[in-house]
Amino acid sequence: MYYTYGQRQGLGIGGVAGASEEPWYVIDKDVKNNQLIVAQGEHHRLYSEALWIHHIHWITETPAELPFSCKAKTRYRQADQSCHIEADPKGGYWVYFKQPQRAVTPGQYAVFYQGETCLGGGVIEAFKQDA
């Protein structure tokens, strides 16, 4: 449970003789069964097309109309990513990205921006992987 999606360091996994030398990444977790699922390289289940947040704390005004387009970050030092936010009829919000995002992780924050202005953010509770 202490590993994050996309984590590469600290896994303690060595290479296999004659196999790819690409690094290993955490791509999934099964906390109930104490299993960590890893894969080599970056072209696998690490990419998400959307994420779900139950509550967004808006620093500025709540958008007057949804869907609402803005930029978002799901990782520290990440470049701003184009997205649009839609209200989920069952509650919460879906955030859809223009380009699939790497290592979207439940428990971490998505923060929303318009230009240099921070609009607000919320805790990522789920993600939808790219098909």
Side-chain angles (χ1 to χ4, degrees), residues 3 5 14-15 24 26 29 34 36-37 39 43 48 51 55 63 68 74 78 80-81 88 96 103 114 117 123 131:
Y3 295 92
Y5 293 91
W24 293 87
V26 174
K29 300 185 288 186
N34 196 31
L36 191 63
I37 295 93
H43 302 288
S48 303
L51 62 86
H55 175 75
F68 175 76
T74 59
Q78 176 185 27
D80 292 354
Q81 302 297 312
D88 184 338
Y96 293 95
Q114 201 156 50
T117 304
V123 177

CSV table of all heavy atoms in Angstrom, one decimal, residues 3 5 14-15 24 26 29 34 36-37 39 43 48 51 55 63 68 74 78 80-81 88 96 103 114 117 123 131:
chain,number,residue,atom,x,y,z
A,3,TYR,N,3.3,2.0,-2.0
A,3,TYR,CA,3.8,2.3,-3.4
A,3,TYR,C,2.8,3.1,-4.1
A,3,TYR,O,1.6,3.0,-3.9
A,3,TYR,CB,4.1,1.0,-4.1
A,3,TYR,CG,5.2,0.2,-3.5
A,3,TYR,CD1,5.0,-0.8,-2.6
A,3,TYR,CD2,6.6,0.4,-3.9
A,3,TYR,CE1,6.0,-1.6,-2.0
A,3,TYR,CE2,7.6,-0.3,-3.3
A,3,TYR,CZ,7.3,-1.3,-2.4
A,3,TYR,OH,8.3,-2.1,-1.8
A,5,TYR,N,1.3,4.5,-8.0
A,5,TYR,CA,1.3,4.1,-9.4
A,5,TYR,C,2.4,4.9,-10.2
A,5,TYR,O,2.6,6.1,-9.9
A,5,TYR,CB,-0.1,4.5,-10.1
A,5,TYR,CG,-1.2,3.6,-9.5
A,5,TYR,CD1,-1.9,4.1,-8.4
A,5,TYR,CD2,-1.5,2.4,-10.1
A,5,TYR,CE1,-2.9,3.3,-7.9
A,5,TYR,CE2,-2.5,1.6,-9.6
A,5,TYR,CZ,-3.2,2.1,-8.5
A,5,TYR,OH,-4.2,1.3,-8.0
A,14,GLY,N,15.4,-6.8,-9.8
A,14,GLY,CA,16.6,-6.8,-10.6
A,14,GLY,C,16.2,-7.2,-12.0
A,14,GLY,O,15.1,-7.6,-12.3
A,15,GLY,N,17.1,-7.2,-12.9
A,15,GLY,CA,16.9,-7.6,-14.3
A,15,GLY,C,17.0,-9.1,-14.5
A,15,GLY,O,17.4,-9.8,-13.6
A,24,TRP,N,11.5,-1.1,-14.3
A,24,TRP,CA,10.2,-1.6,-13.9
A,24,TRP,C,9.4,-0.5,-13.2
A,24,TRP,O,9.9,0.4,-12.5
A,24,TRP,CB,10.4,-2.7,-12.8
A,24,TRP,CG,11.0,-3.9,-13.4
A,24,TRP,CD1,12.4,-4.1,-13.6
A,24,TRP,CD2,10.4,-5.1,-13.9
A,24,TRP,NE1,12.6,-5.4,-14.2
A,24,TRP,CE2,11.4,-6.0,-14.4
A,24,TRP,CE3,9.0,-5.4,-14.1
A,24,TRP,CZ2,11.1,-7.2,-14.9
A,24,TRP,CZ3,8.7,-6.7,-14.6
A,24,TRP,CH2,9.7,-7.5,-15.0
A,26,VAL,N,5.5,0.4,-11.1
A,26,VAL,CA,4.2,-0.1,-10.4
A,26,VAL,C,3.1,0.3,-11.3
A,26,VAL,O,2.9,1.5,-11.7
A,26,VAL,CB,4.0,0.6,-9.0
A,26,VAL,CG1,2.7,0.2,-8.5
A,26,VAL,CG2,5.2,0.2,-8.1
A,29,LYS,N,-2.0,-2.2,-7.9
A,29,LYS,CA,-1.8,-2.8,-6.5
A,29,LYS,C,-3.1,-3.6,-6.1
A,29,LYS,O,-4.2,-3.2,-6.5
A,29,LYS,CB,-1.6,-1.6,-5.5
A,29,LYS,CG,-0.5,-0.7,-5.8
A,29,LYS,CD,-0.3,0.3,-4.7
A,29,LYS,CE,-1.3,1.3,-4.7
A,29,LYS,NZ,-1.0,2.4,-3.7
A,34,ASN,N,-2.1,-8.2,-0.8
A,34,ASN,CA,-0.7,-7.8,-0.6
A,34,ASN,C,0.1,-8.1,-1.8
A,34,ASN,O,1.2,-8.6,-1.7
A,34,ASN,CB,-0.1,-8.5,0.7
A,34,ASN,CG,1.2,-7.8,1.1
A,34,ASN,OD1,1.3,-6.6,0.9
A,34,ASN,ND2,2.1,-8.5,1.7
A,36,LEU,N,1.8,-6.4,-5.5
A,36,LEU,CA,2.2,-5.3,-6.2
A,36,LEU,C,2.4,-5.7,-7.7
A,36,LEU,O,3.1,-6.7,-7.9
A,36,LEU,CB,3.5,-4.7,-5.7
A,36,LEU,CG,4.0,-3.4,-6.1
A,36,LEU,CD1,3.0,-2.3,-5.8
A,36,LEU,CD2,5.4,-3.1,-5.6
A,37,ILE,N,1.7,-5.1,-8.6
A,37,ILE,CA,1.8,-5.5,-10.0
A,37,ILE,C,2.7,-4.5,-10.7
A,37,ILE,O,2.5,-3.3,-10.6
A,37,ILE,CB,0.4,-5.5,-10.7
A,37,ILE,CG1,-0.4,-6.6,-10.1
A,37,ILE,CG2,0.5,-5.8,-12.2
A,37,ILE,CD1,-1.3,-6.2,-9.0
A,39,ALA,N,5.5,-3.7,-14.3
A,39,ALA,CA,5.7,-4.0,-15.7
A,39,ALA,C,7.0,-3.2,-16.1
A,39,ALA,O,7.3,-2.1,-15.5
A,39,ALA,CB,4.5,-3.6,-16.6
A,43,HIS,N,4.9,1.8,-21.8
A,43,HIS,CA,3.8,1.6,-22.7
A,43,HIS,C,2.9,0.5,-22.1
A,43,HIS,O,2.9,-0.6,-22.7
A,43,HIS,CB,4.2,1.4,-24.1
A,43,HIS,CG,5.1,2.5,-24.6
A,43,HIS,ND1,4.6,3.8,-24.9
A,43,HIS,CD2,6.4,2.6,-24.8
A,43,HIS,CE1,5.6,4.6,-25.3
A,43,HIS,NE2,6.7,3.9,-25.2
A,48,SER,N,-3.9,7.1,-18.0
A,48,SER,CA,-5.3,7.3,-17.7
A,48,SER,C,-5.9,8.4,-18.6
A,48,SER,O,-5.3,9.5,-18.8
A,48,SER,CB,-5.5,7.7,-16.3
A,48,SER,OG,-4.9,6.7,-15.5
A,51,LEU,N,-10.0,11.0,-14.6
A,51,LEU,CA,-10.0,10.7,-13.2
A,51,LEU,C,-11.3,11.2,-12.6
A,51,LEU,O,-12.0,12.0,-13.2
A,51,LEU,CB,-8.7,11.4,-12.5
A,51,LEU,CG,-8.6,12.9,-12.6
A,51,LEU,CD1,-9.4,13.6,-11.5
A,51,LEU,CD2,-7.1,13.3,-12.5
A,55,HIS,N,-15.1,15.7,-4.5
A,55,HIS,CA,-15.3,17.1,-4.1
A,55,HIS,C,-14.1,17.9,-4.6
A,55,HIS,O,-13.0,17.6,-4.3
A,55,HIS,CB,-15.5,17.2,-2.6
A,55,HIS,CG,-15.6,18.7,-2.2
A,55,HIS,ND1,-16.7,19.4,-2.4
A,55,HIS,CD2,-14.7,19.5,-1.6
A,55,HIS,CE1,-16.5,20.6,-1.9
A,55,HIS,NE2,-15.3,20.7,-1.5
A,63,PRO,N,-17.1,27.2,-11.3
A,63,PRO,CA,-17.5,27.5,-12.7
A,63,PRO,C,-19.0,27.6,-12.8
A,63,PRO,O,-19.7,26.7,-12.3
A,63,PRO,CB,-16.9,26.3,-13.4
A,63,PRO,CG,-15.8,25.7,-12.6
A,63,PRO,CD,-16.3,26.0,-11.2
A,68,PHE,N,-16.5,22.3,-18.1
A,68,PHE,CA,-15.6,23.5,-17.9
A,68,PHE,C,-14.2,23.1,-18.4
A,68,PHE,O,-13.7,22.1,-17.9
A,68,PHE,CB,-15.6,23.9,-16.5
A,68,PHE,CG,-14.7,25.1,-16.2
A,68,PHE,CD1,-15.0,26.4,-16.5
A,68,PHE,CD2,-13.5,24.8,-15.5
A,68,PHE,CE1,-14.1,27.4,-16.2
A,68,PHE,CE2,-12.6,25.9,-15.2
A,68,PHE,CZ,-12.9,27.2,-15.6
A,74,THR,N,-1.5,16.6,-12.1
A,74,THR,CA,-1.7,15.4,-11.2
A,74,THR,C,-0.4,15.0,-10.5
A,74,THR,O,-0.4,14.1,-9.7
A,74,THR,CB,-2.3,14.2,-11.9
A,74,THR,OG1,-1.4,13.8,-13.0
A,74,THR,CG2,-3.7,14.5,-12.5
A,78,GLN,N,4.7,18.7,-13.0
A,78,GLN,CA,4.2,18.3,-14.2
A,78,GLN,C,3.8,19.6,-15.0
A,78,GLN,O,3.3,20.6,-14.4
A,78,GLN,CB,3.0,17.5,-14.0
A,78,GLN,CG,2.3,17.0,-15.3
A,78,GLN,CD,1.0,16.3,-15.0
A,78,GLN,OE1,0.4,16.5,-13.9
A,78,GLN,NE2,0.6,15.4,-15.9
A,80,ASP,N,1.3,21.8,-17.2
A,80,ASP,CA,-0.1,21.9,-17.2
A,80,ASP,C,-0.7,21.1,-18.4
A,80,ASP,O,-0.2,21.1,-19.5
A,80,ASP,CB,-0.6,23.4,-17.4
A,80,ASP,CG,-0.2,24.2,-16.2
A,80,ASP,OD1,0.2,23.7,-15.2
A,80,ASP,OD2,-0.4,25.5,-16.3
A,81,GLN,N,-1.8,20.4,-18.1
A,81,GLN,CA,-2.4,19.5,-19.1
A,81,GLN,C,-3.8,19.9,-19.4
A,81,GLN,O,-4.6,20.2,-18.4
A,81,GLN,CB,-2.4,18.0,-18.5
A,81,GLN,CG,-1.0,17.5,-18.2
A,81,GLN,CD,-0.1,17.4,-19.4
A,81,GLN,OE1,-0.5,16.9,-20.4
A,81,GLN,NE2,1.1,17.9,-19.3
A,88,ASP,N,-20.6,14.6,-12.5
A,88,ASP,CA,-21.0,13.2,-12.5
A,88,ASP,C,-22.5,13.2,-12.0
A,88,ASP,O,-22.7,13.7,-10.9
A,88,ASP,CB,-20.2,12.3,-11.7
A,88,ASP,CG,-20.5,10.8,-11.7
A,88,ASP,OD1,-21.6,10.5,-12.1
A,88,ASP,OD2,-19.6,10.0,-11.4
A,96,TYR,N,-11.6,14.8,-17.7
A,96,TYR,CA,-11.2,14.2,-18.9
A,96,TYR,C,-10.0,14.9,-19.5
A,96,TYR,O,-10.1,16.1,-19.7
A,96,TYR,CB,-12.3,14.1,-20.0
A,96,TYR,CG,-13.4,13.2,-19.5
A,96,TYR,CD1,-14.5,13.7,-18.9
A,96,TYR,CD2,-13.3,11.8,-19.7
A,96,TYR,CE1,-15.5,12.9,-18.4
A,96,TYR,CE2,-14.4,11.0,-19.3
A,96,TYR,CZ,-15.5,11.5,-18.7
A,96,TYR,OH,-16.5,10.7,-18.2
A,103,ALA,N,0.5,7.8,-14.7
A,103,ALA,CA,0.6,7.5,-13.3
A,103,ALA,C,-0.4,8.4,-12.4
A,103,ALA,O,-0.1,8.9,-11.4
A,103,ALA,CB,2.0,7.7,-12.8
A,114,GLN,N,-6.1,28.1,-14.6
A,114,GLN,CA,-6.4,28.9,-15.8
A,114,GLN,C,-5.4,30.0,-15.9
A,114,GLN,O,-5.4,30.9,-15.1
A,114,GLN,CB,-7.8,29.5,-15.7
A,114,GLN,CG,-8.4,29.8,-17.1
A,114,GLN,CD,-9.9,29.8,-17.0
A,114,GLN,OE1,-10.5,30.4,-16.1
A,114,GLN,NE2,-10.5,29.1,-17.9
A,117,THR,N,-3.5,31.4,-12.7
A,117,THR,CA,-4.4,31.4,-11.5
A,117,THR,C,-4.8,29.9,-11.2
A,117,THR,O,-5.2,29.1,-12.0
A,117,THR,CB,-5.7,32.1,-11.9
A,117,THR,OG1,-5.4,33.4,-12.3
A,117,THR,CG2,-6.7,32.1,-10.7
A,123,VAL,N,-8.9,15.6,-4.1
A,123,VAL,CA,-8.2,14.3,-4.0
A,123,VAL,C,-8.7,13.4,-5.1
A,123,VAL,O,-9.9,13.2,-5.3
A,123,VAL,CB,-8.5,13.7,-2.6
A,123,VAL,CG1,-7.8,12.3,-2.5
A,123,VAL,CG2,-7.9,14.6,-1.5
A,131,ALA,N,-8.3,3.1,-23.1
A,131,ALA,CA,-8.7,1.9,-23.7
A,131,ALA,C,-7.7,1.2,-24.6
A,131,ALA,O,-6.9,1.7,-25.2
A,131,ALA,CB,-10.0,2.0,-24.5
